[in-house]
Amino acid sequence: MDSSPTMWASPPRRGLSTPALLAVFLFTSWSLLGASSWSFYNRGKDPSGCEMTYMWPDYILEEAFRPADKYKLYLYKEADGLERERNPTGTPVLFIPGNAGSYKQARSLGSVLTHEYRRLTAANPGAKLAPFDVFTVDTNEELAAFQRTLIEDQALYVNAAIQYILELYPKLDSYTYTPPPTAVILIAHSMGGIVARTLPILPNYIPGSVNTIITMATPHLAPPAPLEARLARLYNEIHALWKTSLESETEDALGLRDITLLSLAGGTHDTMVSSSLVEISPFVPLDNGFTAYTSGAPLVWTAADHRAILWCNQVVKAVARALFGIANPIQPARTIGKKQRLEVFRAEFVGSDFDLAERQNTNEAGDVDLGSTTPASNAGLRLTHLSQQTPTTSNFAVPARGQHRFNLVSNTRLPPVTRVCSMPPPSSQAPARCLAVSPRASFMVPSAGEDKMTISGISLDSRDFGDDAVVVVGPHMVDEGQFVLAGIVEETNAIVNVGSEQFDFRGRLHVTLPIKSALTVVNVPSITTGPFKYTVRWRQQHADSKPLFSPVLHQSFASSSESKILRNPQGSLLTSYARWDGSEDKGLVMRVIADPAGGDLRLKLDVAWVESLGSLVGRYMMAMVAFGVAAGVQALVATVDVKAGALPSTSRARALLKRTAVTAASLYVLALMQTAVLCLPLPPAWENVSRGLLLGTRGAHLAFIPPLVYCLAVGAVVAVAMLVEALSWLIRLTRLGGGRLWYSATCLAILTMPAGLAYIVLFVQCVTTAGRARVPETRLIPAKPIPWPSREHVRAAALLLMLLQVFCAPGLVVWARAGRWWAYHDWRMGDVLLPLCALVYVDVLRTGGSTAAPTSTGKMVALITKTVGNAVVLLAFLTGMRSTYVLHPAIAVLFAWLAIARALSMSGVGARQPVRKRL
């Protein structure tokens, strides 16, 4: 019998080899990451229609006000030859730029306010109007989005600037308005809004010096890049202060209850600050402010990117109209009351939002003789210029049984007078007692068939009706091109609920909506504020006659402030934004405004897969950063026990694929567990904590997103590892690092410079150590044998040091821009301790050292090492998206423990002493 080894050899494995599987994984990950980035920046956006604003800017430096060397204050004037006065003459407005913003960004607002004042004074010569004096702060284009110190410095300066502005007016001979102003209107962009909200917590704040704040694209809820713990604590402090001051019944010593706060969001075009962070409802009640989207504002109807929101002509004109609407030059505060200010802001920015859950505003309307009115037909009231010759008054008897709703839609300049009356007894000749109902909303609708159409709507339900109720509409006369549609319908015909079973397996929804009333509400609870976007198409089937106007769809989510008109019936994009406050998502609400004579409405919703792909980058960018750091920690811990030398590429690929598969499966299980836990009756505090873990996704159908984001992060980390290898080759080629000079340079960088520079020096040391770790040079081996670290482990340490630049690079850029190269004035203990842990560990690697041999003590050290590493990884998965800053000190703890473990191995604790062989 042939006993050759080939006879008993295992059959060759079929399928892809390990390197081929790794290549497929990396190609898929990189392709998906690139496609997601392309979709985020180029697809999935509302139509853009911003018009440019033109001006002749002139900035007058306030030389008398220089409390800080790095900041300046300017007064904007229009240099078109018509402005003769160089001093302030009206109502003060202070503009605060955002992150890396310029004081010159106030020019669009200043120019539009100047021209609007000229227009209003020309149209109303006798009106009591005052111009707006736009002051603007030069913050030296600081990166305030990354450091709390910069926000506090700017806020201190703004408080001093407000005091200077208010003290300036009584000294001016040219100022003719009395009394002088006692408050300033703040217009803030991006992080400038956080600066404005930080003013009350500082000691130089003057209570009552600010009564109106308009923020534009400001991340109110959380930092857009949560990389600094002190900045996150500042957010918590200002949230607590505003919430406590506005909601408590104690004395308001800071005067915050008189402040009106309007937060404007740019919508889908803002790729720098997610509009989900612009919400202010968690800490500002509706009596003091609200959030509005430019895409839903009347006469704006367009999304704006992060910087375009400052010069978009439609947005700037809306802000100017609102400012003139709230201005009152004869009052010391220079504005009308808080309630009136909110009404002006709502009419200007939220005119298209009418919530059917709200009660109608009613007041006494006297008596009405029902005998002089005309009963409406069962089909409802339909008034047009051709069908009406004389003023008409109609009445609608509310059926006694069942739930009914009265809807009225009109495009007349003044909506018809609507009253709810109580029917008198049949034997009585007394008139009916009535209550007048005001329109819930009046707004401009950009319809497909008409350029502009003003629609006012009234909706009443069973809560507004009494026993034997009658709804009286009129008397009213419609002009040419106008119409009035009104009627009473059953609740089931006015509100349509769409269940998840009506979607097909591809996520599509094709339904036919019965249009029995001018206003139909469609509830789709299965479409939440998740990562998916939809394409909406609709068409009315003209059954009886041609409708009076093209159907209009209005989109809103109960858990979001976004509210907008869908304009294109051939394909409009339905978008949503993630909720950060943990509130329950009740799903999509669409309101269909259509003529019932046009027949039923065919509605189609299809998942926009390409547009939805951009959510992976748009929503989960910080999660990718945290998951990438977790992948780096996994690589470091996995190579602790690798012996000296270099692993074969096949072994490295197999280990990477196995680690990725196991971690992705664990994340999927964690996401399912989170969904199951949220279904339990938890206390509110526990429920909020549970909603904030992982990526904040809710539902078993979204459990695939955390592992998908992790796989994309692993692909990105592998690309960074390739870059690290290239830099390693370049540094070894130039023979940099490795000596005591670099060690001393690192110590100096830690004590006098930002941590990012210290990590760069440590990275160079680690790279040179990786070059020596593969083939130890004889002259570097000490007299006492020391286990040499593997090249894989040192390279993983260098990769992790490179990933730490995510936390340190912003501070390093701030330090370099400030020009403080000789000393780091923002010295804090954490800036020294965190890189010091990495310094000790890298120095141990530089001099040698690995884990102990497999004895009882060595096994305990290895177990603790893996436990600490897995704890850091779990922390990154659970809290890394919203609290990314916690990973920096966690990795420092890991470095400190690894240094201790390697020091123990070098001293021989728990390890067998190796035997040196004579060559």
Side-chain angles (χ1 to χ4, degrees), residues 850-852 857 861 897-911:
S850 64
T851 54
T857 307
V861 170
W897 166 249
L898 289 176
I900 295 174
R902 289 190 175 274
L904 293 176
S905 68
M906 293 173 62
S907 62
V909 177

Side-chain angles (χ1 to χ4, degrees), residues 811-829:
L812 187 61
V813 174
V814 171
W815 171 78
R817 285 169 57 93
R820 295 177 288 177
W821 300 344
W822 59 92
Y824 189 46
H825 298 302
D826 296 330
W827 184 89
R828 292 182 296 272
M829 186 60 66

Side-chain angles (χ1 to χ4, degrees), residues 547-618:
L548 297 175
F549 59 95
S550 302
V552 176
L553 263 66
H554 177 269
Q555 166 209 330
S556 67
F557 286 89
S559 58
S560 175
S561 298
E562 184 191 24
S563 173
K564 65 181 180 181
I565 301 293
L566 303 180
R567 304 177 59 176
N568 184 11
Q570 303 301 323
S572 293
L573 191 64
L574 193 154
T575 59
S576 63
Y577 303 93
R579 293 291 291 171
W580 281 64
D581 57 352
S583 62
E584 183 180 359
D585 195 347
K586 298 181 180 180
L588 170 67
V589 178
M590 286 191 297
R591 300 172 180 88
V592 181
I593 306 172
D595 184 1
D600 296 341
L601 187 78
R602 185 66 176 171
L603 181 66
K604 297 181 179 181
L605 275 78
D606 299 315
V607 179
W609 295 105
V610 176
E611 288 76 7
S612 301
L613 195 60
S615 299
L616 293 176
V617 171

Side-chain angles (χ1 to χ4, degrees), residues 219-551:
H220 285 287
L221 283 182
L227 301 176
E228 189 190 53
R230 297 178 69 249
L231 181 59
R233 288 195 294 268
L234 174 64
Y235 266 81
N236 294 333
E237 292 173 11
I238 60 178
H239 287 347
L241 175 66
W242 281 74
K243 186 177 181 64
T244 304
S245 300
L246 296 179
E247 295 182 356
S248 66
E249 298 180 357
T250 59
E251 182 181 359
D252 183 21
L254 297 175
L256 297 185
R257 294 176 191 169
D258 294 330
I259 294 180
T260 303
L261 177 58
L262 171 64
S263 177
L264 293 179
T268 56
H269 280 252
D270 195 341
T271 57
M272 297 183 65
V273 173
S274 174
S275 293
S276 61
L277 299 178
V278 183
E279 294 283 347
I280 61 174
S281 55
F283 51 86
V284 175
L286 292 177
D287 293 338
N288 288 87
F290 58 91
T291 303
Y293 285 70
T294 60
S295 55
L299 300 179
V300 179
W301 299 320
T302 181
D305 64 49
H306 194 67
R307 295 187 181 274
I309 197 172
L310 290 172
W311 56 258
C312 184
N313 192 256
Q314 298 96 312
V315 177
V316 178
K317 283 185 176 179
V319 173
R321 290 192 300 267
L323 289 180
F324 277 103
I326 67 173
N328 188 353
I330 63 175
Q331 293 293 330
R334 290 298 184 268
T335 59
I336 56 180
K338 181 183 68 173
K339 184 178 180 180
Q340 290 75 22
R341 274 177 274 157
L342 285 174
E343 292 176 355
V344 171
F345 287 158
R346 291 189 183 279
E348 195 65 51
F349 296 101
V350 201
S352 61
D353 184 20
F354 51 102
D355 186 0
L356 298 185
E358 294 181 358
R359 297 297 302 272
Q360 290 285 176
N361 296 324
T362 59
N363 51 63
E364 292 290 341
D367 301 334
V368 174
D369 184 9
L370 297 180
S372 61
T373 63
T374 303
S377 63
N378 294 332
L381 177 65
R382 181 184 174 91
L383 294 180
T384 63
H385 176 65
L386 298 178
S387 64
Q388 183 188 28
Q389 303 298 329
T390 58
T392 303
T393 301
S394 304
N395 67 75
F396 301 81
V398 180
R401 295 182 178 180
Q403 300 293 326
H404 294 79
R405 182 179 292 275
F406 171 82
N407 291 324
L408 181 146
V409 170
S410 172
N411 70 335
T412 56
R413 186 177 62 87
L414 294 176
V417 178
T418 303
R419 288 157 288 188
V420 178
C421 305
S422 299
M423 181 74 72
S427 59
S428 174
Q429 301 296 326
R433 301 289 299 176
C434 300
L435 293 176
V437 181
S438 61
R440 175 167 287 151
S442 179
F443 53 92
M444 301 290 292
V445 175
S447 179
E450 300 82 12
D451 293 335
K452 292 180 181 180
M453 183 171 61
T454 306
I455 289 184
S456 56
I458 292 177
S459 182
L460 305 175
D461 57 20
S462 57
R463 298 172 300 174
D464 303 301
F465 303 140
D467 297 334
D468 298 327
V470 176
V471 180
V472 178
V473 178
H476 199 72
M477 186 75 182
V478 295
D479 298 329
E480 184 177 0
Q482 297 179 347
F483 61 85
V484 176
L485 299 177
I488 291 182
V489 294
E490 294 184 1
E491 191 86 12
T492 55
N493 292 329
I495 300 179
V496 179
N497 297 314
V498 178
S500 58
E501 67 277 359
Q502 297 180 252
F503 288 80
D504 61 15
F505 70 97
R506 290 178 292 181
R508 300 189 309 175
L509 172 67
H510 293 181
V511 295
T512 300
L513 302 177
I515 304 300
K516 304 297 183 182
S517 173
L519 178 62
T520 303
V521 181
V522 183
N523 295 319
V524 191
S526 57
I527 297 182
T528 60
T529 55
F532 295 110
K533 299 180 181 180
Y534 294 83
T535 301
V536 185
R537 299 178 179 87
W538 65 92
R539 180 175 60 87
Q540 195 170 16
Q541 303 171 358
H542 300 168
D544 300 333
S545 61
K546 184 178 180 180
L548 297 175
F549 59 95
S550 302

Side-chain angles (χ1 to χ4, degrees), residues 96-99 151 154 186-200 213-220 235 238 242 261-263 283:
I96 309 174
N99 181 61
I151 292 181
Q154 293 181 13
L186 297 182
I187 309 292
H189 174 244
S190 187
M191 294 302 293
I194 302 302
V195 174
R197 289 182 51 216
T198 307
L199 301 181
I213 302 176
I214 300 178
T215 64
M216 309 172 78
T218 295
H220 285 287
Y235 266 81
I238 60 178
W242 281 74
L261 177 58
L262 171 64
S263 177
F283 51 86

